[in-house]
Each structure stands twice: as C-alpha cells, then as structure tokens.
Amino acid sequence: MACIRQLRAWPQDLVVSMEMAASGKLYINTKLDTGSVPFELADLRSVHGEVTKFLVTAPGQLSIPLPPLPEGCRVYLTDGGLAANITLPTASKDTAMSALLDRLGFGYDAVMAFGDDVNDLELLRRSRVGVAMANVVAEVRSCADRVTLSNAEDGVAVVLEELVNNAVDPSNEPE
C-alpha cells in the first residue's frame, strides 16, 4: 500500500483505480463513467489484499503528473501519456505466458496473442502472431502482425472464428 500512500499524498487530482488479484474486483477513488466495467467506489486505503495493478489518470491534464513511487513499481504510460498502469516489475502478460509455456512444454512459436495497450507489447513481439485490437494505441499497432475489430466489436472472437472456420473448411483439406 506504499504506492497508494504516495498517490494520495500527491497534490494533483488523480483518479486511481485498483484491480485486486483474488477477486478481480476494481476499486476506484472517484465516481466515473467506466462504461460496462463494474467497479466499487472506495477509499483505496481501506481496501486490503493483493493488488494486480493500479490505473492512474489526471482529468483535464495534458499528461499524467505522477509522484515519486516506491521502488519496485513498473509504470506503463498509455493513451499518449494521459494514463499510467502501475504494476510490480515482474507482473506482465509476457512473464505469465513464459511460465505457462515452460510448464506446457511449448515455445512462443505456438502463440497467437491479442493486445490493445502498451502492457501487451512484450507478449505481441514474442508471439508467433501478434494481433492488435482496432482500439489499440499506436505503439502496439506498429508491432502487430495484423489488426482485428475493437474489444467492443468482439475482435478476438472474430479472429478465433476465422481460424476455426478455416481449419474445418473442407476446401482447405488436401486431396
């Protein structure tokens, strides 16, 4: 919770949300329109448990003014510097995928990864096929092998359905 203390002490009006590991719940310090993403309004200092990540924004600012953070925080700036994802340095999609692949005995040549933000860069770069969502940030789009529809348009499902349909299409079978 040292990170929360630092963010709370910063004199800027920061909107901070906290994603919890065990419950998957999202807690936020200010009421916002988050679309269809469910959240609970809370004093973040009173929420206990393992935090997966923090998302910090500064409404009305041209860039996000972050305070000095405790050692061991990894910061991904996104949305042109308007938001920051803060995680542990070892917490990444790429780290999780590496552990899973090691356990299953596969390599990245067997992976198709999907992403829409800077925290997906490592995973997309290392995967055999990196697919960016239409709502992707520019940096991620440039490293993707292809682009699909947005998250809201079920872009992942579209690509997976395409793969399944091509795999079972009799016209793809050798004669």
Side-chain angles (χ1 to χ4, degrees):
M1 286 303 189
C3 192
I4 282 291
R5 284 192 298 277
Q6 294 293 91
L7 292 169
R8 297 280 302 188
W10 192 241
Q12 304 290 327
D13 290 328
L14 298 176
V15 175
V16 180
S17 62
M18 219 167 52
E19 188 178 287
M20 303 305 288
S23 66
K25 286 183 93 174
L26 181 68
Y27 294 93
I28 193 165
N29 68 340
T30 303
K31 185 154 178 58
L32 289 178
D33 177 14
T34 59
S36 62
V37 178
F39 68 92
E40 187 173 316
L41 190 61
D43 176 349
L44 300 182
R45 294 171 298 182
S46 66
V47 178
H48 300 286
E50 186 179 348
V51 178
T52 307
K53 77 175 175 184
F54 295 98
L55 177 63
V56 182
T57 59
Q61 301 286 330
L62 296 177
S63 64
I64 186 152
L66 284 177
L69 295 172
E71 202 170 310
C73 290
R74 182 181 206 175
V75 178
Y76 293 101
L77 292 178
T78 187
D79 294 335
L82 296 177
N85 288 306
I86 303 169
T87 66
L88 292 172
T90 56
S92 74
K93 294 176 185 180
D94 184 56
T95 302
M97 181 60 75
S98 290
L100 179 62
L101 291 172
D102 286 348
R103 185 173 185 185
L104 297 174
F106 290 103
Y108 276 90
D109 61 332
V111 174
M112 174 183 275
F114 296 82
D116 65 354
D117 210 341
V118 292
N119 62 337
D120 300 313
L121 276 170
E122 295 168 79
L123 181 59
L124 292 177
R125 285 181 179 139
R126 293 183 69 186
S127 297
R128 180 176 184 177
V129 178
V131 182
M133 310 306 292
N135 54 295
V136 69
V137 298
E139 186 178 1
V140 177
R141 181 181 298 268
S142 68
C143 84
D145 298 303
R146 68 178 281 189
V147 178
T148 186
L149 298 175
S150 72
N151 297 342
E153 298 169 300
D154 298 325
V156 172
V158 168
V159 172
L160 295 178
E161 286 173 358
E162 177 186 302
L163 290 172
V164 169
N165 289 338
N166 286 339
V168 297
D169 183 351
S171 65
N172 290 337
E173 295 296 316
E175 296 183 24

